Amino acid sequence: MQQRNIAEVIIDNASRSVDKLFHYRIPKDKLDKVQVGVKVLVPFGKGNNKREAFIVNTVFESEYKQLKEIYDIMEESPLYDENMVSLVKWMRERYLCTYYEAMKTILPTGIGMKKAKDKTVRMVYLMISNEEALDYIEQMRVRAPVQTRVIEILLENEFVSSADLVSLSKGTHSTLKALHKKGLIEFKEHIVKREVINTKKYEKVKPHDATLEQQNVIKLVMENIKVNNPATIMLRGVTGSGKTEVFLQVIDQLIVIGKQAIVLVPEISLTPQMVERFVGRFGSRVAVFHSRLSMGERYEQWKMIKNSEVDVVVGARSAIFAPFNNLGMIIIDEEHEYSYKSEISPRYHTREVAKQRSKNENAVVLLSSATPSVESFYNAEQGKYQLAHMGKRYNNASLPDVSIVDMREELINGNKSIFSNRLKEEIEHNIRNKQQTILFLNRRGFSTFISCRSCGLVLKCPRCNISLTFHMHDNALICHYCGFKRENVQKCPKCASKYIRYFGIGTQKVENEIKMLFPDASVLRMDVDTTSKKFSHEKILNAFKNDNVDILIGTQMVSKGLDFPNVTLIGVLAADMSLNIDDFRSAERTFQLLTQVSGRAGRGEVAGRAIVQTYDPDNYTIQLAKQHDYLTFYNDEIQIRKQLKYPPFCDIISIFVNGVDESAVIRRINEITSTIKEKIFEKDAHQYCQSILGPTTAPISKIKNKYRWRLLLKCVNNHDIREILREILYDHYADRHHTGLNLIININPINMY
C-alpha cells in the first residue's frame, strides 16, 4: 500500500514572503514517525539553511518537482492535531495574518525546550510598549532577524529566561546584550516557582442547590452537549445571579461523560478567584493558563492539558488554544469585555475563535454576561445564538440601590473635593459598621495632566501627541502610550513660571485623599502600577478579603467578576469619563462599566448601595445603568447602530499607516485608499463596502515619534474584501520603497485611536 511520503509544512519564519505551505519529501526511515503536529528540521532557501517547520498535512504526491528532504524530527510527539491545523488556516484567512503568526499563537512559547533547573534564573523583560516593539520588528525584520525574533518572543510573554530566549531566537547572549544596550530589554534575577496551583490551600467546596433559573440553564447547555451540537448559548444573568455556579455544575456533568472544558476570564485579576472556585470543586483536575506564568510554568500546564491530566483549564485570552482532545464546552465569562480582542497579530477576537473551535470540535460555547455586547445580544435575538436568562440574584438578594450625585451641585455648594458629601457619609457609615467599600476610577496615576497657569503650556510626551500623567509615588511624569518618563517639574519649561497646576484625578490621588479623610481606615489600591509584579493581583485580593480591609481603590480590574460578601458600598468617581471618548462604543462601554461595578455590592446578607458621581446626571446611559435596565439600553443602542451602519450591521476595518516621515505616511495612506477603490471596482464588490471614511489623522496623531494616519472601511468582512486587503498588505511589505512605513489592518478593532 502506498504511503504518504510528502509532508506539507509551515516554515518557522516571520517573513510574509514565505507565507505559504511548503512540500518536503519524507525519508524512508522516518515515514512511520512523521505525522500532523510533528516539528521537523528542514533545508530552506538557496543555502539550504536549517529551519524548523511544523507539519500540517501529509500527501501522496506534489505538483512541485525536485523536492528537498526533511533533515530530522525535532518533536516526535504531535504538538497539535488536525482540528488545530484547521483553526490556523481559518485564522490566517479571517485576520489577514501569516501561517507562522497563527501557528505561534496556538502553541506556547518555548515548546519542547528544556526548562531551567536552577532556583535563580536570569529573566529578560521587554522595556518598550507593544506598539514600539511592533514598529521595531517591522523595521528590523530583514536587517536584524535574530533581534526581531527576541522581541517577538517577549511580546508573547511577560518575561523569558535569557537561556530560553537565546535558544528560541537561535541567537547568542551577545544579541541580548545589544538589545539591552539599546534600552529595549532589561535583565532581572528570578526565583523559579514551578507550583502554579497549590491544591492544598483551597478548601473543598460542595455544589450549592441550584435555583430554578440555574437548573433551566444547566439543562439547556447539557442538552446541546449530549448531542454534540456546536451551539453558541448567550447567558444574560444579572450580577450576583450565580452564573459561576452554573459553570461548575455543567462541568461536573461534562466530566462524567468524559469531556473537557475551557473557562475564560477577561482579566488576570479575576483568575485567582475563579481558580479558587474551580480547584475547590475539582481539585487537581484544573490547569491555569495566562501570560503572567513563566515560560516553564506555561509549558508544564500546557503539557498537563495535552496529556489529558486535567479536565478544566481556567485562563485569560490565550487559554482558548488549550490543546484538549475531547473538548465539550468553552465558557467565556464577561463576554462583553474588550480584553478578549488581541491587539497584536493575529488580531483575533476570542469569541470568534471559540465559535470556530466549537464548529471544528462539536463543542458548546457559553457566552456569559450581565451586560452582553450589543453584537452578541443581537445575534441571540436573530436566532444565531440560543438565549438564556437569569434575572434574579442568588437567594433572591436585591440588586444594589444606585444613587446618582450631580457634581455640578457639589461645586455650587462649595465642595471642591473628589468626593461628594453623600459618598463621604456612606464611606464613614461602612467603616463604622465594619463593612467594605470599593471605589472605582478609570484612571491610574495621580493627575491626568499638568499645565502652567501663566502661559497655558500642557506638558506633553516629546514622542507622542498626548499629555503626560503625574505619578506621585515616583514623583515622575509618565506617558501611558510609549512609557516615556521624566522627573516632575517645579517650574514651567517654557516661561519658567512656578505656577504649575495639576488637573484631573488618578487612583493615587484618590488614595491620598481617602487617607486624609479617613486616617484610621485601611486602604488598598489596585491598578496597573500596583499589580505589575507576579501574584500581585492575588495578594491584593486576598488581603482585601482575609484582612477585611476597609477600602479598595481600583481601575477597571475591580469593576467585574469579583465576589466579596462584605462589600456593601461602591463609589464610582467621574462616571461620565468614558462617555466622551471618540468611539461609537462609548455609550455601551459606560453602561457596562457602571452596571458591572455597581454589581460588586450587596452579594452577602446586607443590601448593597452604589454612589455614582457625574457631571452629566441626565445622560440616558447613566440613568439606565442606575435602573439596571439592560434591555431598554440595548433597544435604544441597536437602533442607533442600525441607522449609522455600525456593528453588528457591518464590519469596521481599520487601516493604519505610521512612520517618522509624515509626508511619506500621508502619501502611502492616499495610495492605499486609491488602490482599495480601484480593486473594489475591479472585483465588483461595491455591495460589500458601504463607505470609506478618510484618510485622516488618527485621534492620537503621533506615538513614539511616529505620525499616524487612518482609513476606516464600513463593509462586510467577506472573502472578496479580505483578498483586496491581503494583496495590499503583502505588496506593501514586498516593496522596499515602503521601508520605515508600518501598515496595520485590524478587523473590528476595539481601540479606535
Side-chain angles (χ1 to χ4, degrees):
M1 183 178 174
Q2 186 184 359
Q3 282 187 290
R4 296 171 183 258
N5 65 343
I6 295 168
E8 201 168 48
V9 308
I10 294 171
I11 300 293
D12 189 352
N13 188 314
S15 173
R16 288 187 180 272
S17 64
V18 297
D19 180 35
K20 58 188 80 171
L21 299 178
F22 290 85
H23 285 181
Y24 283 86
R25 196 166 299 282
I26 305 169
K28 287 183 179 179
D29 63 333
K30 296 181 174 63
L31 279 170
D32 294 336
K33 295 179 180 178
V34 169
Q35 58 182 303
V36 171
V38 168
K39 191 176 181 183
V40 293
L41 200 64
V42 298
F44 188 73
K46 291 181 180 178
N48 287 329
N49 297 318
K50 291 183 178 180
R51 297 304 298 254
E52 293 176 9
F54 301 95
I55 294 181
V56 296
N57 195 14
T58 55
V59 295
F60 293 109
E61 55 187 37
S62 171
E63 68 268 33
Y64 305 109
K65 306 301 178 186
Q66 298 179 330
L67 296 181
K68 297 177 183 179
E69 202 169 70
I70 290 171
Y71 278 142
D72 201 3
I73 296 174
M74 301 188 67
E75 296 273 351
E76 289 191 14
S77 178
L79 303 174
Y80 48 87
D81 59 17
E82 291 179 354
N83 285 325
M84 281 300 190
V85 172
S86 175
L87 191 65
V88 163
K89 292 177 178 178
W90 175 84
M91 287 174 70
R92 178 182 179 269
E93 160 69 14
R94 173 78 182 172
Y95 301 112
L96 307 177
C97 65
T98 62
Y99 282 121
Y100 166 78
E101 287 171 330
M103 180 59 76
K104 75 172 186 177
T105 301
I106 72 162
L107 294 174
T109 309
I111 191 89
M113 304 304 298
K114 291 182 180 178
K115 291 158 288 297
K117 296 178 181 178
D118 301 328
K119 287 186 178 180
T120 303
V121 178
R122 196 184 201 197
M123 294 293 183
V124 184
Y125 284 74
L126 194 62
M127 292 302 292
I128 53 177
S129 67
N130 284 358
E131 182 154 347
E132 186 179 356
L134 292 169
D135 287 352
Y136 184 86
I137 289 166
E138 295 299 343
Q139 289 178 23
M140 304 298 288
R141 193 185 296 279
V142 176
R143 284 184 288 166
V146 178
Q147 289 189 12
T148 60
R149 280 200 296 273
V150 170
I151 300 298
E152 283 179 333
I153 291 166
L154 289 174
L155 268 173
E156 294 296 316
N157 297 272
E158 189 186 12
F159 52 81
V160 180
S161 76
S162 58
D164 283 343
L165 203 48
V166 167
S167 298
L168 288 163
S169 65
K170 303 178 185 64
T172 64
H173 287 282
S174 298
T175 308
L176 302 187
K177 287 179 182 177
L179 288 169
H180 183 257
K181 193 173 181 180
K182 292 179 182 179
L184 303 182
I185 64 171
E186 183 179 54
F187 300 111
K188 290 182 184 178
E189 294 297 319
H190 262 233
I191 296 174
V192 176
K193 295 181 179 178
R194 293 294 185 201
E195 190 177 66
V196 176
I197 302 175
N198 179 7
T199 54
K200 293 177 183 176
K201 77 175 185 179
Y202 295 109
E203 189 179 332
K204 190 72 176 172
V205 179
K206 292 182 179 179
H208 296 288
D209 291 332
T211 65
L212 182 60
E213 286 186 329
Q214 289 174 327
Q215 289 173 25
N216 289 337
V217 177
I218 294 165
K219 182 182 177 184
L220 173 66
V221 175
M222 288 308 302
E223 283 173 351
N224 284 280
I225 289 172
K226 286 175 180 176
V227 296
N228 295 319
N229 181 26
T232 299
I233 300 171
M234 177 75 249
L235 169 57
R236 186 176 75 87
V238 298
T239 56
S241 58
K243 295 184 287 295
T244 305
E245 184 63 27
V246 168
F247 307 160
L248 292 164
Q249 295 202 22
V250 167
I251 291 172
D252 223 343
Q253 296 184 39
L254 198 71
I255 292 171
V256 170
I257 59 176
K259 290 183 179 287
Q260 301 144 331
I262 296 171
V263 182
L264 302 176
V265 292
E267 297 263 8
I268 293 172
S269 61
L270 299 182
T271 308
Q273 276 210 332
M274 197 63 90
V275 168
E276 181 179 357
R277 295 177 190 181
F278 276 79
V279 174
R281 192 69 62 89
F282 305 116
S284 60
R285 302 298 296 176
V286 178
V288 144
F289 209 79
H290 56 72
S291 61
R292 288 291 175 95
L293 301 179
S294 70
M295 182 185 292
E297 289 169 337
R298 288 179 90 180
Y299 176 62
E300 286 175 7
Q301 294 290 295
W302 180 87
K303 194 163 59 175
M304 286 167 59
I305 300 163
K306 184 88 174 59
N307 295 337
S308 298
E309 295 170 28
V310 296
D311 303 303
V312 187
V313 58
V314 177
R317 186 175 64 220
S318 60
I320 187 59
F321 303 107
F324 279 134
N325 55 27
N326 196 11
L327 185 63
M329 182 168 65
I330 301 167
I331 295 169
I332 305 183
D333 194 24
E334 312 290 5
E335 69 85 29
H336 64 277
E337 282 295 330
Y338 303 114
S339 55
Y340 284 124
K341 173 81 158 89
S342 170
E343 289 302 317
I344 62 171
S345 189
R347 293 176 172 82
Y348 67 90
H349 197 296
T350 310
R351 188 169 56 227
E352 293 175 346
V353 174
K355 287 190 286 184
Q356 188 62 27
R357 274 202 81 171
S358 159
K359 184 179 175 183
N360 292 348
E361 303 177 48
N362 292 322
V364 167
V365 176
L366 180 61
L367 307 176
S368 170
S369 177
T371 54
S373 65
V374 168
E375 291 90 337
S376 289
F377 201 73
Y378 179 77
N379 282 332
E381 276 205 325
Q382 297 300 303
K384 293 180 182 178
Y385 302 164
Q386 296 177 32
L387 183 60
H389 287 281
M390 284 167 51
K392 297 178 182 178
R393 280 191 153 188
Y394 194 76
N395 289 335
N396 288 319
S398 59
L399 286 165
D401 178 56
V402 180
S403 301
I404 297 174
V405 175
D406 186 345
M407 293 303 285
R408 296 171 303 181
E409 291 186 5
E410 295 288 318
L411 281 173
I412 292 169
N413 294 328
N415 179 15
K416 296 180 181 180
S417 163
I418 296 171
F419 307 104
S420 63
N421 290 322
R422 172 73 187 280
L423 182 54
K424 283 187 278 191
E425 289 169 5
E426 295 290 351
I427 293 172
E428 192 172 0
H429 173 273
N430 262 30
I431 293 170
R432 195 166 54 244
N433 288 278
K434 304 295 183 185
Q435 294 169 11
Q436 293 175 293
T437 300
I438 293 177
L439 297 178
F440 167 75
L441 178 69
N442 195 17
R443 292 273 187 190
R444 70 183 194 269
F446 189 86
S447 292
T448 53
F449 70 96
I450 298 173
S451 175
C452 172
R453 292 168 67 184
S454 295
C455 70
L457 175 74
V458 173
L459 274 74
K460 290 190 173 184
C461 173
R463 300 182 286 192
C464 308
N465 188 21
I466 199 77
S467 58
L468 294 168
T469 300
F470 175 47
H471 285 244
M472 191 176 190
H473 177 72
D474 302 318
N475 193 31
L477 306 177
I478 299 175
C479 174
H480 289 170
Y481 286 87
C482 75
F484 171 82
K485 185 176 182 179
R486 62 167 290 178
E487 287 185 4
N488 188 24
V489 297
Q490 301 301 319
K491 59 183 181 180
C492 176
K494 183 179 179 182
C495 71
S497 166
K498 294 182 180 179
Y499 296 103
I500 300 294
R501 188 172 177 186
Y502 301 86
F503 291 85
I505 57 172
T507 46
Q508 290 180 11
K509 190 170 185 178
V510 173
E511 181 183 25
N512 275 17
E513 294 220 9
I514 278 288
K515 287 178 176 177
M516 284 191 288
L517 284 169
F518 307 104
D520 297 327
S522 50
V523 182
L524 284 171
R525 177 163 56 89
M526 190 172 184
D527 55 22
V528 173
D529 299 328
T530 63
T531 58
S532 57
K533 294 182 180 177
K534 196 171 182 182
F535 303 121
S536 50
H537 294 94
E538 191 170 2
K539 286 176 182 175
I540 292 171
L541 294 175
N542 283 341
F544 185 61
K545 176 184 176 182
N546 299 329
D547 301 338
N548 202 34
V549 171
D550 294 314
I551 301 166
L552 174 64
I553 300 163
T555 52
Q556 282 200 26
M557 56 186 73
V558 303
S559 69
K560 63 194 80 79
L562 302 179
D563 191 349
F564 297 106
N566 198 33
V567 171
T568 58
L569 175 64
I570 300 294
V572 181
L573 312 178
D576 40 30
M577 192 176 289
S578 53
L579 277 173
N580 301 315
I581 298 171
D582 180 20
D583 189 334
F584 73 91
R585 295 189 183 93
S586 61
E588 180 184 14
R589 289 186 181 189
T590 302
F591 179 86
Q592 289 166 340
L593 208 52
L594 294 181
T595 304
Q596 291 286 342
V597 73
S598 298
R600 299 314 104 208
R603 288 170 169 255
E605 295 179 1
V606 180
R609 303 103 66 212
I611 308 296
V612 176
Q613 297 185 168
T614 175
Y615 289 92
D616 190 7
D618 298 323
N619 185 281
Y620 87 100
T621 302
I622 293 174
Q623 286 294 330
L624 291 175
K626 165 185 164 62
Q627 298 159 27
H628 310 282
D629 190 351
Y630 173 81
L631 290 177
T632 300
F633 172 79
Y634 166 79
N635 288 327
D636 289 347
E637 187 69 12
I638 201 70
Q639 290 304 316
I640 294 170
R641 299 275 185 99
K642 188 173 184 179
Q643 289 172 9
L644 298 177
K645 292 184 173 61
Y646 279 121
F649 300 100
C650 76
D651 292 294
I652 289 183
I653 298 178
S654 165
I655 301 169
F656 262 101
V657 175
N658 66 37
V660 293
D661 183 346
E662 188 173 20
S663 60
V665 171
I666 295 170
R667 185 166 57 250
R668 184 64 189 130
I669 195 73
N670 282 326
E671 289 170 355
I672 289 169
T673 305
S674 298
T675 303
I676 287 173
K677 289 177 178 177
E678 289 169 10
K679 288 183 179 293
I680 285 174
F681 179 77
E682 287 172 12
K683 291 180 179 285
D684 194 24
H686 299 88
Q687 68 269 35
Y688 304 130
C689 192
Q690 296 172 354
S691 59
I692 298 175
L693 307 175
T696 184
T697 54
I700 300 176
S701 60
K702 186 173 74 168
I703 292 180
K704 190 57 180 174
N705 288 329
K706 299 284 180 68
Y707 293 94
R708 311 168 77 245
W709 278 67
R710 181 184 76 179
L711 178 71
L712 293 179
L713 307 183
K714 285 185 178 180
C715 60
V716 177
N717 175 23
N718 66 3
H719 180 74
D720 286 344
I721 295 295
R722 286 197 295 270
E723 279 304 299
I724 291 170
L725 296 175
R726 188 178 290 278
E727 279 182 49
I728 288 169
L729 199 56
Y730 281 62
D731 290 347
H732 176 87
Y733 284 109
D735 191 334
R736 60 184 179 83
H737 293 103
H738 302 146
T739 302
L741 296 175
N742 300 316
L743 171 60
I744 297 170
I745 299 178
N746 197 348
I747 297 167
N748 290 321
I750 292 303
N751 293 313
M752 304 296 289
Y753 65 82

